[in-house]
Amino acid sequence: MSNDYSQVLQVLETYLDALHHTDEKRIAEVFHESALYAMSTDAGGVMTRTMDEYIPVIEKRESPASRGEEKIATIHSIEFGGPNTAFARVSGVLGSTGYVDLITLMKIDGRWRLLTKIFHTTPA
């Protein structure tokens, strides 16, 4: 499983780097095409997006890297539920927004991909 750990770690690092550079191509590479993006709203509801809805949002976003901001991101934990499932908790700052991501990953056709991203944001 140590090889799987390294692979999951690499996928998460790619994801965090893609967020920092607002790189929609790399975002699309690490997420499974049927992945779910979800966050709680201030009113206590839920906002969800499919990848077809999420990628255009990324395309329009100005990258923190282009503003000269330091990449602030931490992978706190990676846990395996079995040989093909994993869970990760990551956090970071993008501009003036802090975030905590709870991410599930699956190994599909030999490749680890993000399947859900559930997150919470706060002012940084």
Side-chain angles (χ1 to χ4, degrees):
M1 193 157 320
S2 64
N3 189 39
D4 284 319
Y5 184 88
S6 297
Q7 291 173 7
V8 168
L9 186 61
Q10 181 60 49
V11 168
L12 293 170
E13 289 288 354
T14 299
Y15 161 70
L16 294 170
D17 193 55
L19 284 180
H20 182 67
H21 290 278
T22 312
D23 185 337
E24 71 275 1
K25 288 184 176 84
R26 285 196 294 166
I27 290 285
E29 288 173 9
V30 296
F31 277 91
H32 188 270
E33 55 272 5
S34 63
L36 176 67
Y37 167 103
M39 71 175 281
S40 60
T41 65
D42 291 338
V46 64
M47 184 277 299
T48 62
R49 288 191 172 126
T50 65
M51 287 302 97
D52 287 340
E53 295 166 329
Y54 179 51
I55 298 299
V57 171
I58 294 293
E59 290 173 339
K60 295 176 187 170
R61 193 181 290 165
E62 181 183 17
S63 77
S66 71
R67 296 189 299 258
E69 295 176 16
E70 176 185 359
K71 178 182 168 187
I72 302 172
T74 303
I75 299 170
H76 297 279
S77 63
I78 298 171
E79 298 177 34
F80 288 86
N84 298 312
T85 60
F87 171 80
R89 182 179 182 275
V90 303
S91 67
V93 176
L94 294 172
S96 61
T97 304
Y99 64 89
V100 174
D101 288 350
L102 305 173
I103 297 171
T104 60
L105 302 98
M106 289 188 76
K107 189 175 188 179
I108 302 166
D109 296 326
R111 183 172 161 216
W112 286 98
R113 308 275 300 277
L114 282 72
L115 203 60
T116 62
K117 169 186 171 168
I118 299 173
F119 68 104
H120 175 76
T121 62
T122 59

CSV table of all heavy atoms in Angstrom, one decimal, residues 5 9 12-13 16 72-79 87-92 99-102:
chain,number,residue,atom,x,y,z
A,5,TYR,N,0.0,5.0,-1.3
A,5,TYR,CA,0.1,6.2,-0.5
A,5,TYR,C,0.8,7.3,-1.3
A,5,TYR,O,0.4,8.4,-1.4
A,5,TYR,CB,0.8,5.9,0.8
A,5,TYR,CG,0.9,7.2,1.7
A,5,TYR,CD1,-0.2,7.5,2.6
A,5,TYR,CD2,2.0,8.0,1.6
A,5,TYR,CE1,-0.1,8.6,3.4
A,5,TYR,CE2,2.0,9.2,2.4
A,5,TYR,CZ,1.0,9.5,3.3
A,5,TYR,OH,1.0,10.6,4.1
A,9,LEU,N,-0.7,10.8,-2.5
A,9,LEU,CA,-0.1,12.0,-2.2
A,9,LEU,C,0.3,12.9,-3.4
A,9,LEU,O,0.0,14.1,-3.4
A,9,LEU,CB,1.2,11.7,-1.4
A,9,LEU,CG,2.0,12.8,-0.8
A,9,LEU,CD1,1.2,13.6,0.2
A,9,LEU,CD2,3.3,12.3,-0.2
A,12,LEU,N,-2.9,14.5,-4.7
A,12,LEU,CA,-3.3,15.6,-3.9
A,12,LEU,C,-2.4,16.8,-4.1
A,12,LEU,O,-2.9,18.0,-4.1
A,12,LEU,CB,-3.3,15.2,-2.4
A,12,LEU,CG,-4.4,14.2,-2.0
A,12,LEU,CD1,-4.1,13.7,-0.6
A,12,LEU,CD2,-5.8,14.8,-2.2
A,13,GLU,N,-1.1,16.6,-4.2
A,13,GLU,CA,-0.2,17.7,-4.5
A,13,GLU,C,-0.5,18.4,-5.8
A,13,GLU,O,-0.4,19.6,-6.0
A,13,GLU,CB,1.3,17.2,-4.5
A,13,GLU,CG,1.8,16.8,-3.1
A,13,GLU,CD,2.1,18.0,-2.2
A,13,GLU,OE1,2.0,19.2,-2.7
A,13,GLU,OE2,2.4,17.8,-1.0
A,16,LEU,N,-3.6,20.5,-5.3
A,16,LEU,CA,-3.3,21.8,-4.6
A,16,LEU,C,-2.5,22.8,-5.5
A,16,LEU,O,-2.7,24.0,-5.5
A,16,LEU,CB,-2.5,21.5,-3.3
A,16,LEU,CG,-3.4,20.7,-2.3
A,16,LEU,CD1,-2.5,20.2,-1.1
A,16,LEU,CD2,-4.5,21.5,-1.8
A,72,ILE,N,-0.2,28.3,0.0
A,72,ILE,CA,-0.4,27.9,1.3
A,72,ILE,C,-1.3,26.7,1.3
A,72,ILE,O,-2.5,26.9,1.0
A,72,ILE,CB,-0.9,29.0,2.2
A,72,ILE,CG1,0.0,30.2,2.2
A,72,ILE,CG2,-1.2,28.6,3.6
A,72,ILE,CD1,-0.5,31.5,2.9
A,73,ALA,N,-0.8,25.5,1.5
A,73,ALA,CA,-1.7,24.3,1.5
A,73,ALA,C,-1.0,23.2,2.3
A,73,ALA,O,0.2,23.1,2.2
A,73,ALA,CB,-1.9,23.9,0.0
A,74,THR,N,-1.8,22.5,3.0
A,74,THR,CA,-1.3,21.4,3.8
A,74,THR,C,-2.2,20.2,3.6
A,74,THR,O,-3.4,20.2,3.7
A,74,THR,CB,-1.4,21.8,5.3
A,74,THR,OG1,-0.7,23.0,5.5
A,74,THR,CG2,-0.8,20.7,6.2
A,75,ILE,N,-1.5,19.0,3.5
A,75,ILE,CA,-2.2,17.7,3.5
A,75,ILE,C,-2.1,17.2,4.9
A,75,ILE,O,-1.0,16.9,5.4
A,75,ILE,CB,-1.6,16.8,2.5
A,75,ILE,CG1,-1.7,17.3,1.0
A,75,ILE,CG2,-2.2,15.4,2.6
A,75,ILE,CD1,-0.9,16.6,0.0
A,76,HIS,N,-3.2,17.2,5.6
A,76,HIS,CA,-3.2,16.8,7.0
A,76,HIS,C,-3.2,15.3,7.2
A,76,HIS,O,-2.6,14.8,8.1
A,76,HIS,CB,-4.4,17.4,7.7
A,76,HIS,CG,-4.4,18.9,7.8
A,76,HIS,ND1,-3.6,19.6,8.7
A,76,HIS,CD2,-5.0,19.8,7.0
A,76,HIS,CE1,-3.8,20.9,8.4
A,76,HIS,NE2,-4.6,21.1,7.4
A,77,SER,N,-4.0,14.6,6.4
A,77,SER,CA,-4.1,13.2,6.6
A,77,SER,C,-4.6,12.5,5.3
A,77,SER,O,-5.3,13.1,4.5
A,77,SER,CB,-5.1,12.8,7.7
A,77,SER,OG,-6.4,13.3,7.4
A,78,ILE,N,-4.2,11.2,5.2
A,78,ILE,CA,-4.6,10.3,4.1
A,78,ILE,C,-4.9,9.0,4.8
A,78,ILE,O,-4.1,8.5,5.6
A,78,ILE,CB,-3.6,10.1,3.1
A,78,ILE,CG1,-3.2,11.4,2.3
A,78,ILE,CG2,-4.0,9.0,2.1
A,78,ILE,CD1,-2.0,11.3,1.4
A,79,GLU,N,-6.2,8.5,4.7
A,79,GLU,CA,-6.6,7.2,5.2
A,79,GLU,C,-7.1,6.4,4.1
A,79,GLU,O,-7.8,6.8,3.2
A,79,GLU,CB,-7.7,7.4,6.3
A,79,GLU,CG,-7.3,8.3,7.5
A,79,GLU,CD,-8.4,8.5,8.4
A,79,GLU,OE1,-9.3,7.6,8.6
A,79,GLU,OE2,-8.5,9.6,9.0
A,87,PHE,N,-9.4,8.6,1.8
A,87,PHE,CA,-10.0,9.8,2.3
A,87,PHE,C,-8.8,10.7,2.7
A,87,PHE,O,-7.9,10.3,3.3
A,87,PHE,CB,-10.9,9.5,3.5
A,87,PHE,CG,-11.4,10.7,4.2
A,87,PHE,CD1,-12.4,11.4,3.7
A,87,PHE,CD2,-10.8,11.2,5.4
A,87,PHE,CE1,-12.9,12.6,4.4
A,87,PHE,CE2,-11.2,12.3,6.0
A,87,PHE,CZ,-12.3,13.0,5.5
A,88,ALA,N,-8.9,12.0,2.3
A,88,ALA,CA,-7.9,13.0,2.7
A,88,ALA,C,-8.5,14.2,3.3
A,88,ALA,O,-9.6,14.6,2.8
A,88,ALA,CB,-7.0,13.3,1.5
A,89,ARG,N,-7.8,14.9,4.2
A,89,ARG,CA,-8.2,16.2,4.7
A,89,ARG,C,-7.0,17.1,4.4
A,89,ARG,O,-5.9,16.9,4.7
A,89,ARG,CB,-8.4,16.1,6.2
A,89,ARG,CG,-8.8,17.4,6.8
A,89,ARG,CD,-9.0,17.3,8.3
A,89,ARG,NE,-9.4,18.5,8.9
A,89,ARG,CZ,-8.7,19.5,9.3
A,89,ARG,NH1,-7.4,19.4,9.2
A,89,ARG,NH2,-9.2,20.6,9.8
A,90,VAL,N,-7.4,18.2,3.6
A,90,VAL,CA,-6.4,19.2,3.3
A,90,VAL,C,-6.9,20.6,3.6
A,90,VAL,O,-8.2,20.7,3.8
A,90,VAL,CB,-6.0,19.1,1.8
A,90,VAL,CG1,-5.5,17.8,1.4
A,90,VAL,CG2,-7.2,19.5,0.9
A,91,SER,N,-6.0,21.5,3.8
A,91,SER,CA,-6.5,22.9,4.0
A,91,SER,C,-5.5,23.9,3.3
A,91,SER,O,-4.4,23.5,3.0
A,91,SER,CB,-6.6,23.2,5.5
A,91,SER,OG,-5.3,23.2,6.1
A,92,GLY,N,-6.0,25.1,3.2
A,92,GLY,CA,-5.1,26.1,2.6
A,92,GLY,C,-5.8,27.4,2.5
A,92,GLY,O,-6.8,27.7,3.1
A,99,TYR,N,-9.7,27.5,3.4
A,99,TYR,CA,-10.6,26.4,3.1
A,99,TYR,C,-10.1,25.1,3.8
A,99,TYR,O,-8.9,25.0,4.1
A,99,TYR,CB,-10.7,26.1,1.6
A,99,TYR,CG,-9.4,25.7,1.0
A,99,TYR,CD1,-9.1,24.4,0.9
A,99,TYR,CD2,-8.5,26.7,0.5
A,99,TYR,CE1,-7.9,24.0,0.3
A,99,TYR,CE2,-7.3,26.3,-0.1
A,99,TYR,CZ,-7.0,24.9,-0.2
A,99,TYR,OH,-5.8,24.6,-0.8
A,100,VAL,N,-11.0,24.2,4.1
A,100,VAL,CA,-10.8,22.9,4.5
A,100,VAL,C,-11.5,22.0,3.6
A,100,VAL,O,-12.7,22.1,3.4
A,100,VAL,CB,-11.3,22.6,6.0
A,100,VAL,CG1,-11.1,21.1,6.3
A,100,VAL,CG2,-10.5,23.5,7.0
A,101,ASP,N,-10.8,21.1,2.9
A,101,ASP,CA,-11.3,20.1,1.9
A,101,ASP,C,-11.3,18.7,2.6
A,101,ASP,O,-10.3,18.3,3.1
A,101,ASP,CB,-10.5,20.1,0.6
A,101,ASP,CG,-10.7,21.3,-0.2
A,101,ASP,OD1,-11.5,22.1,0.0
A,101,ASP,OD2,-9.9,21.3,-1.2
A,102,LEU,N,-12.5,18.1,2.5
A,102,LEU,CA,-12.6,16.7,2.8
A,102,LEU,C,-12.8,15.9,1.5
A,102,LEU,O,-13.8,16.1,0.8
A,102,LEU,CB,-13.7,16.4,3.8
A,102,LEU,CG,-13.7,17.3,5.0
A,102,LEU,CD1,-15.0,17.1,5.8
A,102,LEU,CD2,-12.5,17.0,5.9
